[in-house]
Amino acid sequence: MDKQKQLPMPGPGGRNNMSRVNGEKPKHTKQTLKRLTKYIGRSRYVLIALLALTLLIALIDLTGPLLQGNAIDAIEAVHYDASTYVEGGENTPLYDYSAKDPRYDGMQIKTKYVVHWRREAYIGKKDTVTNGMLPNLIAMGVLFAVSAVLNYFMGILAAKLSQRTVYTMRNDLFEKISRLPIRYLDTHKHGDIMSRITNDVENVSNAISSSITLLFSGLLTIVGALVMMLILSPVMTLVAMITIPLSILISSRLTKFMRKHFIRRQKLLGALNGTVEEMVTSYGTVVAYSKEPEAIEKFGGYSADYRDSSIKARVWGSIMGPIMNFLGNLQYVLVAATGGALYLYGKPGGISIGNIQSMLSYSKNFTRPINQIANQYSTILTALAGAERIFEIMDGRDEVDDGKRPMPSAEVEGNISFKNIQFGYVPGEPVLKGLDLEVGKGKKVAIVGATGSGKTTVVNLLTRFYELDGGEISIDGINITAVPKTDLRHAIAIVLQDTVLFRDTIRNNIKYGAANATEEEVKRAARHAKADTFIERLPDGYDTMLTEGGGNLSQGQRQLLSIARAVLADPKILILDEATSSVDTRTEMHIQQAMVALMKNRTSLIIAHRLSTIRDADTIVVLRGGVIAEAGSHEQLLAKGGEYAKLYSNQFAGIAT
């Protein structure tokens, strides 16, 4: 593309641009979370079912400690009932272990006195154990089994929710990319865009599948555990709450510090992918200039930065988990000590051992969700950072298309007018400066000039790949800004210097110019482009599957297919941007013959460097400095001895223009 200067790349193009990544500031988390929630809400029925299962599982988990405490209290009840079968009363001295009395079959120490009972008395109380403990154990077993089944279905629903959400998000993102202006794609790293649609979306998926249920069940568990703790022992509950303010303070401080590392890591991953994409697509050039060491060094630099950033992100992301675990264990110790003190020194009947055990379990349930969220925090941060990058693209401005006047291709005659065209890729640095050009119906106009003179820019403006800074372009007297871009581009076919083929059959690549074309029309287009000869020599003919970019064909063969595609499109306006530059002289001769037939009765714009290919053009326009330096036929311009004559002489002498 002829650009005097490209727009600055937002993604880093080298080691010197790393400050751009370092300087990235995080966006607003609340806004990102709100938009992400809307995507999740599109699968509302799955979400409702998932939350319902989460609620049931949370209730089951909250019931377990209560049943466990009841079972323990049933055992303690047997202890006190058996104490009625005492021989010797409360003042019985401490039992002497060194001289066991065979009259007693068992013993139990209560406080500092030995309490004895006969075995038959203990056996008589087995009913108490059966009636008090066994039902609780059975209930616990049933609930845990039900919880396991519900957890299985919850995992399925979580997977469905995450995949449906990212499916919608990925499709919206891809659709958005298809609506972005060419300028956006020209000025952003392709690898970074690919990273957002793959890595960032996948990170969001992982967070949704694991974090939605975790956050909801955590909230339910915290509230439920707090209520049960207050019912069992307000004093122990107060002790359990001591570590909560400390947990909130630490987590909030760490959150602000950690988040910037996760944002930067995602930015660096996009830059790394962009470097890989650039290396792969330009591999031939890299090898030709023996630049493999430089490419490896450049990649190694990005990889090292990504490694360092990932280490920092993971270290700070994982440090919160151990801290929260420590605070949880501290809370457990405080609650256990308080419960023991209340049991030993509190009022009789104030709290039972079973209640203490229940309180310990509920205190764990109270802190466990906080610890789980802390351990998942790195996943959540990565997902939010990825979501921000996704929404950055979605917030980009769509390609402007305010045309309302239909222009059916069949009604286009092909008169083109450029009036006082002003345009620059970079503000303040114009490429075209007041260009005026008239192209009549069915005429063949060639545009030549030095590199950077604006040849390809004229084509980009005609097809509205870029919008004018000033002036007007019209077709058949209609301003192209008033025409829908779809109608405008249907009337124009382009054969670029860099061929674009897709991973598909040769037939479908040709039919890209007209999807409803018949088999005969496809073959006729191939014959016009002189492509039928090599196609029919292939084992699978038109069904031959092309690799990515048509890599299993020669450059000349790929160009012939591109020309066949344009032939099949049957345009009223034809644009050839160095269409024969990649073929040998013999093939070029055949293509030129085909082009004569193709361009007949069609308005044709030819961007040319090889001046020998445009001798028969009706008008040759020479661009210099953003304006037309001279125009005329081949003979007229040679006779004038001006800019064109110099270009032609230099090229004829073998000197590059």
Side-chain angles (χ1 to χ4, degrees):
M1 189 176 294
D2 286 313
K3 305 177 186 178
Q4 290 180 340
K5 286 191 179 180
Q6 290 276 5
L7 286 175
M9 289 289 186
R15 296 281 295 163
N16 293 333
N17 287 334
M18 288 311 300
S19 58
R20 298 191 182 193
V21 177
N22 294 339
E24 292 290 345
K25 295 183 179 180
K27 301 292 191 302
H28 299 292
T29 302
K30 291 182 179 179
Q31 183 180 2
T32 302
L33 195 57
K34 182 178 179 180
R35 296 178 66 174
L36 190 57
T37 302
K38 290 182 179 179
Y39 271 97
I40 297 172
R42 294 186 185 184
S43 303
R44 60 177 60 90
Y45 297 114
V46 176
L47 178 61
I48 291 172
L50 179 62
L51 296 181
L53 283 182
T54 305
L55 175 61
L56 289 176
I57 293 171
L59 292 175
I60 290 174
D61 290 342
L62 290 171
T63 306
L66 188 62
L67 295 175
Q68 185 182 26
N70 291 339
I72 293 174
D73 282 342
I75 299 175
E76 190 180 23
V78 174
H79 161 72
Y80 286 111
D81 287 345
S83 67
T84 58
Y85 293 87
V86 171
E87 290 189 8
E90 292 185 357
N91 296 321
T92 301
L94 191 63
Y95 187 74
D96 184 4
Y97 286 92
S98 62
K100 290 185 178 181
D101 193 329
R103 294 179 301 170
Y104 302 107
D105 298 316
M107 74 175 190
Q108 182 171 353
I109 300 177
K110 179 181 179 184
T111 318
K112 63 179 180 178
Y113 296 102
V114 177
V115 181
H116 300 286
W117 68 90
R118 297 185 184 278
R119 185 178 297 278
E120 57 267 23
Y122 176 75
I123 294 174
K125 294 303 177 183
K126 279 187 177 179
D127 291 340
T128 305
V129 177
T130 303
N131 296 332
M133 184 173 65
L134 190 58
N136 288 289
L137 295 177
I138 293 174
M140 289 172 62
V142 172
L143 288 178
F144 292 155
V146 172
S147 178
V149 174
L150 294 180
N151 271 289
Y152 170 75
F153 287 107
M154 184 177 70
I156 295 176
L157 291 177
K160 286 186 176 181
L161 179 64
S162 66
Q163 290 305 312
R164 288 184 181 182
T165 299
V166 298
Y167 168 81
T168 305
M169 180 178 289
R170 186 181 287 114
N171 285 351
D172 287 353
L173 178 57
F174 191 84
E175 182 182 350
K176 176 66 180 184
I177 292 174
S178 70
R179 300 197 308 269
L180 290 172
I182 297 294
R183 182 188 292 271
Y184 184 95
L185 298 177
D186 281 348
T187 56
H188 287 74
K189 287 282 189 179
H190 295 173
D192 181 63
I193 296 175
M194 293 170 60
S195 177
R196 300 187 192 211
I197 203 171
T198 53
N199 297 332
D200 291 333
V201 171
E202 190 62 28
N203 288 333
V204 172
S205 172
N206 293 336
I208 292 175
S209 62
S210 62
S211 300
I212 290 291
T213 55
L214 178 64
L215 294 173
F216 184 66
S217 65
L219 179 62
L220 292 175
T221 301
I222 289 172
V223 174
L226 180 60
V227 171
M228 296 303 297
M229 289 166 66
L230 287 171
I231 293 173
L232 292 174
S233 175
V235 175
M236 295 177 68
T237 303
L238 183 61
V239 172
M241 299 293 290
I242 291 176
T243 59
I244 300 303
L246 187 58
S247 300
I248 295 174
L249 177 63
I250 293 175
S251 61
S252 62
R253 292 292 179 86
L254 284 176
T255 296
K256 294 180 180 179
F257 184 77
M258 291 159 50
R259 190 167 178 271
K260 63 181 181 181
H261 292 291
F262 286 91
I263 292 286
R264 182 170 181 266
R265 185 180 70 171
Q266 292 305 108
K267 294 287 185 182
L268 284 169
L269 180 59
L272 186 65
N273 288 336
T275 303
V276 173
E277 187 263 346
E278 184 180 66
M279 171 66 179
V280 172
T281 56
S282 308
Y283 185 69
T285 303
V286 173
V287 173
Y289 285 90
S290 301
K291 294 295 183 180
E292 296 95 330
E294 288 85 345
I296 294 172
E297 181 182 0
K298 181 179 179 181
F299 176 81
Y302 281 119
S303 183
D305 288 324
Y306 178 70
R307 175 201 61 202
D308 296 341
S309 180
S310 296
I311 291 174
K312 291 179 181 178
R314 288 191 176 275
V315 167
W316 288 107
S318 60
I319 198 173
M320 186 180 289
I323 292 176
M324 293 298 107
N325 287 333
F326 169 76
L327 294 176
N329 292 331
L330 177 61
Q331 180 201 61
Y332 189 87
V333 171
L334 293 175
V335 172
T338 304
L342 290 175
Y343 179 76
L344 292 176
Y345 305 110
K347 296 179 180 180
I351 190 168
S352 65
I353 294 178
N355 285 344
I356 294 175
Q357 177 58 40
S358 296
M359 282 294 299
L360 290 173
S361 297
Y362 283 126
S363 68
K364 276 292 186 183
N365 287 343
F366 187 77
T367 57
R368 187 178 65 243
I370 300 176
N371 295 338
Q372 289 175 337
I373 294 172
N375 290 326
Q376 281 282 318
Y377 198 70
S378 61
T379 301
I380 296 173
L381 274 183
T382 301
L384 289 176
E388 284 184 352
R389 284 162 47 79
I390 292 169
F391 294 140
E392 282 177 4
I393 293 182
M394 290 187 177
D395 290 337
R397 296 181 61 182
D398 288 352
E399 184 178 22
V400 177
D401 188 7
D402 48 6
K404 303 295 183 182
R405 189 188 189 287
M407 191 175 70
S409 179
E411 299 178 6
V412 175
E413 294 185 3
N415 295 294
I416 307 173
S417 175
F418 297 85
K419 295 181 180 179
N420 192 30
I421 302 303
Q422 309 282 341
F423 177 78
Y425 293 101
V426 178
E429 299 182 16
V431 175
L432 298 179
K433 309 169 185 177
L435 181 141
D436 292 295
L437 177 64
E438 299 290 332
V439 182
K441 171 186 175 182
K443 296 298 182 179
K444 182 166 58 174
V445 175
I447 303 175
V448 301
T451 300
S453 60
K455 302 185 297 297
T456 302
T457 299
V458 173
V459 174
N460 289 338
L461 296 176
L462 176 61
T463 54
R464 291 192 69 189
F465 289 166
Y466 288 81
E467 299 298 328
L468 294 171
D469 294 334
E472 177 184 309
I473 300 176
S474 62
I475 296 178
D476 298 336
I478 303 171
N479 192 323
I480 61 173
T481 59
V483 179
K485 288 186 176 180
T486 302
D487 288 359
L488 175 66
R489 292 166 184 171
H490 278 169
I492 302 173
I494 305 176
V495 179
L496 298 173
Q497 179 178 359
D498 298 323
T499 58
V500 177
L501 297 176
F502 301 95
R503 191 193 299 271
D504 206 335
T505 62
I506 287 180
R507 176 185 292 101
N508 289 339
N509 269 279
I510 296 176
K511 289 179 69 174
Y512 202 80
N516 297 323
T518 64
E519 183 72 11
E520 180 55 35
E521 289 171 335
V522 171
K523 292 183 177 180
R524 186 186 304 122
R527 286 196 298 272
H528 275 294
K530 307 300 181 182
D532 59 323
T533 303
F534 87 82
I535 294 175
E536 291 171 357
R537 285 202 303 262
L538 297 172
D540 296 323
Y542 288 85
D543 293 319
T544 300
M545 183 65 66
L546 299 184
T547 59
E548 183 178 356
N552 51 339
L553 298 179
S554 69
Q555 179 64 35
Q557 290 171 335
R558 294 198 293 269
Q559 190 70 284
L560 292 175
L561 291 184
S562 180
I563 294 171
R565 179 191 296 163
V567 172
L568 187 63
D570 192 23
K572 293 301 178 70
I573 299 173
L574 182 66
I575 297 174
L576 304 175
D577 189 349
E578 282 298 310
T580 62
S581 63
S582 300
V583 297
D584 57 70
T585 304
R586 181 179 179 82
T587 304
E588 179 184 351
M589 181 182 66
H590 291 304
I591 293 177
Q592 290 286 19
Q593 295 172 355
M595 289 295 105
V596 171
L598 176 63
M599 290 185 288
K600 187 176 182 179
N601 299 323
R602 289 185 174 87
T603 303
S604 303
L605 289 176
I606 307 170
I607 309 299
H609 290 287
R610 292 161 65 171
L611 304 184
S612 60
T613 64
I614 57 170
R615 292 179 184 178
D616 60 342
D618 296 307
T619 302
I620 298 174
V621 175
V622 181
L623 293 182
R624 182 180 62 189
V627 297
I628 296 177
E630 55 186 8
S633 67
H634 175 71
E635 291 77 10
Q636 291 173 338
L637 294 177
L638 284 181
K640 185 182 290 187
E643 189 77 18
Y644 179 79
K646 293 179 182 178
L647 291 172
Y648 190 82
S649 298
N650 289 338
Q651 198 169 105
F652 183 77
I655 302 175
T657 58

